[in-house]
Amino acid sequence: MSRLASFSTLGLSLAVLVSLWAGGCASSPTVAARAAEPPPSEFAGGNPNGEMLTGQEPEGVPEEPAEEAPVPGTGHPELDQIKKEMTIRERETYELSRHYFRVGVAFFNRNEYREAKRNFTMAYQLDPNFTKARRFLHRTGFILEERYRSFDTVKEDLVQRKHALIDQQRKELERDYNAGKRLFEASEFVRGKKLFEQCLERIRWFPYPLDTGKDYERLCKQAIRECDRRRRDQLVMERERKEEIARKMAEDEEHRIGLKRLLKIEILLKRITNALYMGEYSQAEKLCHELLEEDHENAMAKKLLHYSIQGRHARRGTEIVRDYDEHMLRSNEELAETAIIYQEYVRFPEKDRWLNVIDKRLHGVAPEIEQEPIEIQHIKRILNTRTVTLSFSDTSLANVMSFLQDITGLNIVLDPRIDAEVTLTLRLRDIVLKNALQLIMDQTSYMYIFKENTIFITEQGTIPGQGIFEIYNVSDILAKIPNFQGPDVRVFDPEGGGAGPAGGISFDDEEGEEEGEPFGPEELIALIKGATGDE
């Protein structure tokens, strides 16, 4: 009868407990079904009376924790630090709970059940989800004849687990909500919105009501709307900021182009002034047109263009008058000279006349040769007038040219094809810059030319000279010269008895004319090629 009463009491207790738990957990079918299952673990190893079966040993090794997943970062240093500290505290609580459980198992195996119960109680209080600690705690209570409290123990255990789960969920909800607020205050609206949405999901799917003292559902919805609004404002401000940066860059570029244009105009004005000062009116007129293409309304350029044209016309008029006077003087001298009778067959001009008049005549019909730019003339003037003192010992050509560029202010460029590291040794004092540069070229076997208004150092023979087109009149060379035959003069010996006129000389009156051997264009071309080369 006692055994039957025990079974009846236990069955009734379990039925009442299941009904209470099912009524409190109707919103969660999974939790209710799990609570409705009979707890066989409380009776493992014992009979229905709660007595331990001999020869059976309890499990002495607690379950090992699953490998801890890495803590995902939120991107906010303070939140990451708080999350890391919470993970460390949870780990410490877990390890301490397992330690109490292992100590309790050791006391349990030595039949010291009161110490074992105390340690199991500590382990279960530290981790309410520790199933083995709860099972061994109930088993130890049964051994210590606390069977009359089995119903209350299971009920209190379930209630504690429910409260612990609710408390844990409330703390996580408050933690995520506070983290979202911190992200919102840090203008991280996208990440803050995600945390607020996670809080709403927790509230909607958690099976128990959360008594937090705040309406987190309303606060999260309001925070989400505020995040969306602030995010839109942030995007508008970001777009305006980018537009402002682009506008500022455009203004800076326009200002830079304007300064470059003003600098070009200033340089052109300076070159025009120098050209007018040196009397290069054609060059000045060309530069004025270039300046007017850059700035159509430049009054100074128009005035300088007018001066350039007037100067060119005045110079041309002066040259015409001078040439006319010289031509008239030369004509009068030649006319006076023709009245003098000379006995010589060929009379060469005097030296002064040859050097000053005849030698200056153009030898061919050639176009006007373009004069050198003003910059090249300036460079040549410096080369011919500046004196330098040099002292180099095993110094590379690049360093020597850099030194000359620093002390003279001239632009010197080295051809990339030459060896700029070739060394030279040179000691000169108060020597003209042109001669010093030529000595440097002699030591390095290079040459210098004027290119793009700079002194360009390159290899010899790589830069051809500038050709000049000139036309010569060769009609006198190609003309056929007539060959007039003289009379046939014959001398006779009077003693020979030959017939003939007196004096022994006779003339043949028949005279003929023969054309000389022609010298054609082909022969002239062959002659020029033979003297200058096949090209």
Side-chain angles (χ1 to χ4, degrees):
M1 291 296 293
S2 61
R3 179 173 298 180
L4 182 59
S6 299
F7 281 143
S8 299
T9 304
L10 180 60
L12 181 59
S13 301
L14 292 176
V16 173
L17 179 61
V18 168
S19 62
L20 291 173
W21 180 255
C25 304
S27 61
S28 179
T30 304
V31 177
R34 187 167 58 250
E37 296 178 357
S41 59
E42 286 81 351
F43 302 97
N47 55 20
N49 292 329
E51 298 175 357
M52 290 293 296
L53 299 177
T54 59
Q56 295 182 358
E57 295 293 336
E59 298 86 341
V61 181
E63 68 271 14
E64 291 296 330
E67 185 178 356
E68 185 178 359
V71 180
T74 63
H76 197 281
E78 296 181 359
L79 295 181
D80 292 341
Q81 182 64 23
I82 294 173
K83 204 166 186 179
K84 183 177 179 182
E85 292 176 357
M86 292 180 63
T87 305
I88 294 174
R89 288 198 296 269
E90 291 174 359
R91 186 68 182 178
E92 291 175 353
T93 303
Y94 176 87
E95 294 295 338
L96 186 58
S97 174
R98 268 56 182 176
H99 171 71
Y100 280 120
F101 178 77
R102 286 192 291 270
V103 174
V105 169
F107 282 117
F108 188 91
N109 291 333
R110 292 199 300 268
N111 298 327
E112 299 179 10
Y113 299 111
R114 295 190 181 280
E115 292 294 330
K117 179 183 177 182
R118 188 173 64 82
N119 284 278
F120 290 145
T121 302
M122 295 293 294
Y124 181 65
Q125 289 177 352
L126 289 172
D127 187 1
N129 295 323
F130 195 2
T131 307
K132 280 191 175 182
R134 178 173 54 84
R135 186 168 64 245
F136 273 88
L137 178 60
H138 293 167
R139 184 180 300 177
T140 306
F142 291 147
I143 294 174
L144 294 175
E145 298 181 354
E146 295 180 358
R147 289 169 293 177
Y148 62 92
R149 298 187 57 188
S150 60
F151 173 76
D152 295 335
T153 303
V154 174
K155 178 181 177 182
E156 291 176 0
D157 176 62
L158 293 176
V159 172
Q160 289 180 2
R161 291 182 64 184
K162 175 183 176 181
H163 289 313
L165 185 61
I166 293 173
D167 185 63
Q168 180 181 2
Q169 189 71 11
R170 183 175 63 253
K171 290 182 179 179
E172 292 180 356
L173 178 62
E174 293 177 353
R175 180 192 64 191
D176 292 343
Y177 179 77
N178 293 330
K181 287 182 62 178
R182 283 191 289 270
L183 289 174
F184 179 83
E185 294 172 356
S187 299
E188 297 285 343
F189 303 115
V190 177
R191 295 167 58 193
K193 179 182 176 181
K194 289 182 179 179
L195 286 179
F196 292 137
E197 290 175 347
Q198 291 178 7
C199 292
L200 283 179
E201 294 297 322
R202 289 179 182 274
I203 296 171
R204 291 171 182 172
W205 297 103
F206 191 66
Y208 307 113
L210 296 174
D211 186 13
T212 58
K214 294 182 181 180
D215 189 359
Y216 278 106
E217 184 174 2
R218 181 182 61 81
L219 293 176
C220 289
K221 291 180 179 178
Q222 183 180 357
I224 290 173
R225 289 194 298 269
E226 188 66 19
C227 285
D228 291 337
R229 186 184 67 81
R230 295 287 293 275
R231 178 58 179 169
R232 287 194 299 270
D233 295 342
Q234 188 181 42
L235 291 176
V236 171
M237 293 177 61
E238 183 68 19
R239 184 172 63 253
E240 291 177 353
R241 185 181 66 84
K242 291 182 179 179
E243 291 176 355
E244 181 65 20
I245 292 175
R247 186 184 62 80
K248 185 65 169 58
M249 292 177 63
E251 291 179 355
D252 293 343
E253 181 66 17
E254 184 178 358
H255 181 66
R256 187 185 65 81
I257 294 175
L259 290 178
K260 185 177 180 181
R261 180 170 172 269
L262 292 176
L263 180 61
K264 183 177 179 181
I265 293 174
E266 183 180 355
I267 293 175
L268 287 174
L269 287 174
K270 185 176 180 181
R271 292 178 62 186
I272 293 171
T273 305
N274 292 336
L276 290 174
Y277 178 76
M278 297 181 66
E280 302 291 339
Y281 300 108
S282 298
Q283 181 70 13
E285 184 178 354
K286 179 180 177 182
L287 293 174
C288 287
H289 286 296
E290 183 178 353
L291 178 55
L292 288 175
E293 289 180 359
E294 189 70 25
D295 186 4
H296 301 283
E297 303 299 329
N298 195 303
M300 181 61 69
K302 294 179 180 179
K303 186 179 295 185
L304 292 176
L305 177 61
H306 178 68
Y307 291 158
S308 300
I309 295 175
Q310 285 186 344
R312 179 168 57 83
H313 289 170
R315 167 174 285 184
R316 183 58 181 165
T318 304
E319 291 176 354
I320 291 175
V321 172
R322 186 186 65 238
D323 294 342
Y324 176 78
D325 293 341
E326 183 179 355
H327 177 71
M328 292 300 297
L329 179 62
R330 187 166 60 249
S331 298
N332 293 331
E333 290 178 353
E334 291 177 355
L335 182 62
E337 189 178 2
T338 56
I340 303 175
I341 301 176
Y342 296 98
Q343 299 296 327
E344 299 90 350
Y345 292 101
V346 178
R347 184 173 181 273
F348 295 99
E350 298 179 357
K351 182 177 180 181
D352 294 339
R353 178 176 175 80
W354 175 265
L355 295 176
N356 297 326
V357 179
I358 300 177
D359 190 52
K360 292 183 179 180
R361 297 175 183 174
L362 292 177
H363 299 284
V365 182
E368 181 181 359
I369 302 174
E370 183 179 0
Q371 296 185 358
E372 293 179 338
I374 299 176
E375 291 78 3
I376 300 299
Q377 297 179 15
H378 176 68
I379 294 175
K380 288 186 175 181
R381 185 161 56 250
I382 293 177
L383 289 177
N384 294 325
T385 58
R386 183 74 59 84
T387 58
V388 293
T389 299
L390 306 178
S391 178
F392 299 109
S393 177
D394 293 335
T395 306
S396 63
L397 178 61
N399 292 334
V400 173
M401 292 297 106
S402 177
F403 174 76
L404 290 179
Q405 187 172 0
D406 292 338
I407 65 175
T408 62
L410 299 177
N411 293 323
I412 303 176
V413 180
L414 299 180
D415 192 342
R417 294 174 295 180
I418 67 174
D419 184 11
E421 300 301 325
V422 60
T423 59
L424 53 92
T425 300
L426 192 65
R427 296 182 182 276
L428 302 172
R429 180 181 296 276
D430 296 334
I431 186 172
V432 178
L433 180 59
K434 179 180 179 180
N435 298 335
L437 186 60
Q438 187 60 46
L439 290 174
I440 294 174
M441 296 298 101
D442 294 341
Q443 286 197 17
T444 57
S445 300
Y446 295 145
M447 63 177 292
Y448 73 91
I449 60 174
F450 302 101
K451 181 179 180 182
E452 302 296 337
N453 299 332
T454 62
I455 299 176
F456 190 73
I457 310 299
T458 183
E459 295 180 353
Q460 294 185 2
T462 57
I463 305 298
Q466 183 180 4
I468 299 175
F469 178 75
E470 193 167 354
I471 300 175
Y472 291 90
N473 188 359
V474 294
S475 59
D476 55 343
I477 300 177
L478 300 179
K480 297 180 180 180
I481 303 174
N483 185 13
F484 297 97
Q485 295 182 357
D488 187 11
V489 180
R490 298 178 182 179
V491 179
F492 298 97
D493 186 5
E495 296 179 358
I505 299 176
S506 66
F507 295 92
D508 190 355
D509 295 335
E510 295 182 358
E511 295 182 0
E513 179 179 347
E514 297 181 359
E515 293 185 353
E517 190 68 22
F519 190 78
E522 291 77 9
E523 289 78 5
L524 180 59
I525 293 173
L527 178 63
I528 295 173
K529 285 186 176 181
T532 60
D534 292 339
E535 296 183 0

